[in-house]
Amino acid sequence: MSNSFVTAKLIAQRALPILKDQIKFLPLVNRRYDSTFRKAGDTIQVIKPARYSTADGSSTIASAYNDIDESAVEVELDTQRAVPFNLSSKELSLNADDLQRQVIMPAAVALAEKINDSLASLYVDIPYWVGTSGATPDGLDDLANINKMLNKNRAPRSERSFLMDWDAEAKFLQLETLAEVDKAGTNSALREAALGRVYGMLLAGDSDIQTHTAGGFAALDDVTITAGASGATSVELTSAGGVSTAKLLEGDVFSIDDYQFTVTADTDAASSGVVTVSIYPALPKAFGDFTSADVTFADVTAGAHEANLAFQRDAFCFATAPLAPAVGGADSYTVSYDGLSIRVVQDYDIDTDGNKWRMDVLYGVKTLYPELAVRVLG
């Protein structure tokens, strides 16, 4: 059937399900909106679930009550991605199935890739890591270590996921434990190249896993912490060589004793080997109280790592809101469903007998609880 009267509504309604299916992170992260909150300016309210501590029930608990502080945090809708494209009158005569395959699907996939990229880029907020920089995770021991780290950080055991790059996925797909029916309980890994749930986590490959290239200061192996009070979020690190002028970059990770930290902002260049660094989490004790002042950078040897991400749903959130309709006579339609919204706008160019189209999504992403995520270095 000829599709001579293609409208923005038709394309938007066909594009949204494709977009939803192509965003690998979408069903795995927090998208809880309180219906009593509305978009205000460029922010939207997303619910941040409460976390509680326990008390000794055999003694008085008068001072141990938790406040129910399931709060709504503001997420800035600071990203608008658009896919502009031209369609001739001839192309608009395609039947609906061909139009979806040749036009709508590629546009929706392009938007999905950008959204996945934004969510994967939140790795910079995560200080906790397992594995070795430059070495692809490839065994059940890696999965056990992920669970160990999440359990130590009191992450809920439900709704855990592990998204990895294609090299890591290829390694896991070769594990006999996951491929054989008698050991894994299903042969989907062997037949469908689908890892599914293992050790309580959904495992999947993702093309948008980020590569973190560390700052030059992270290549030094003679660094100690030389300033920082208990609770400090800014510390001083010093290289014994005393000559480095390199920087640390947002997302660089290091450890002191068994404590792990991430750099929260690019630093200034080191001065004679000394650099001041903003970190998360805060120092648990004063710099002089550590068993050892030695600083170990995860990327000291490899200089970079694949930032594979294991996380519980409430580690990250995704928020979106409908864009306003276009004005000026252009055909415009916005469709929203299940926490996702897309707008399609069409206008006609009389000089070229062409139709200008654009497909847009307005969204924001944010880390809610860094403790509910782990970088799995590769």
Side-chain angles (χ1 to χ4, degrees), residues 73-231:
V73 298
E74 287 193 347
V75 177
E76 187 177 0
L77 302 176
D78 56 358
T79 305
Q80 180 177 345
R81 302 301 307 187
V83 176
F85 53 94
N86 294 312
L87 288 179
S88 67
S89 295
K90 179 179 179 181
E91 289 166 329
L92 284 173
S93 68
L94 292 170
N95 64 51
D97 290 340
D98 287 341
L99 183 74
Q100 178 158 319
R101 184 178 63 256
Q102 297 179 30
V103 177
I104 301 173
M105 181 173 289
V109 168
L111 285 176
E113 288 175 349
K114 289 300 181 182
I115 294 172
N116 274 324
D117 183 78
S118 295
L119 284 160
S121 295
L122 293 176
Y123 80 87
V124 297
D125 297 332
I126 309 305
Y128 312 103
W129 82 86
V130 297
T132 302
S133 177
T136 300
D138 61 1
L140 296 182
D141 58 331
D142 293 299
L143 302 183
N145 286 331
I146 291 169
N147 270 326
K148 178 181 177 181
M149 181 67 76
L150 289 173
N151 292 339
K152 286 175 64 176
N153 286 344
R154 299 172 47 232
R157 288 182 176 271
S158 62
E159 301 179 306
R160 292 183 179 183
S161 305
F162 174 25
L163 296 187
M164 65 195 82
D165 67 4
W166 299 127
D167 289 337
E169 185 195 52
K171 292 287 188 181
F172 282 105
L173 283 170
Q174 296 175 62
L175 289 179
E176 291 185 3
T177 309
L178 303 186
E180 294 181 5
V181 176
D182 60 335
K183 294 182 180 179
T186 174
N187 61 357
S188 62
L190 184 62
R191 294 182 179 275
E192 306 293 340
L195 290 166
R197 299 195 66 83
V198 183
Y199 281 11
M201 293 182 290
L202 174 67
L203 274 59
D206 185 61
S207 60
D208 296 294
I209 292 299
Q210 306 289 294
T211 299
H212 178 76
T213 301
F217 197 86
L220 303 176
D221 59 5
D222 63 347
V223 175
T224 57
I225 181 171
T226 50
S230 177

Side-chain angles (χ1 to χ4, degrees), residues 217 220 222-223 237-246 270-274:
F217 197 86
L220 303 176
D222 63 347
V223 175
L237 306 181
T238 300
S239 168
V243 295
S244 177
T245 58
S271 176
S272 300
V274 180

Side-chain angles (χ1 to χ4, degrees), residues 62-76:
S63 63
Y65 284 92
N66 290 277
D67 291 327
I68 300 176
D69 60 352
E70 184 179 74
S71 56
V73 298
E74 287 193 347
V75 177
E76 187 177 0

Side-chain angles (χ1 to χ4, degrees), residues 281-333:
L283 281 188
K285 60 183 77 173
F287 79 97
D289 293 333
F290 283 98
T291 303
S292 170
D294 291 343
V295 174
T296 302
F297 293 102
D299 293 314
V300 64
T301 300
H305 65 263
E306 298 302 316
N308 304 295
L309 275 174
F311 54 94
Q312 198 274 342
R313 177 183 297 273
D314 291 322
F316 309 114
C317 72
F318 170 83
T320 186
L323 284 160
V327 296
D331 180 23
S332 174
Y333 193 81

Side-chain angles (χ1 to χ4, degrees), residues 27-39:
L28 309 178
V29 299
N30 185 309
R31 294 186 293 131
R32 296 176 64 201
Y33 297 79
D34 190 317
S35 60
T36 63
F37 291 109
R38 296 180 181 273
K39 178 175 177 285

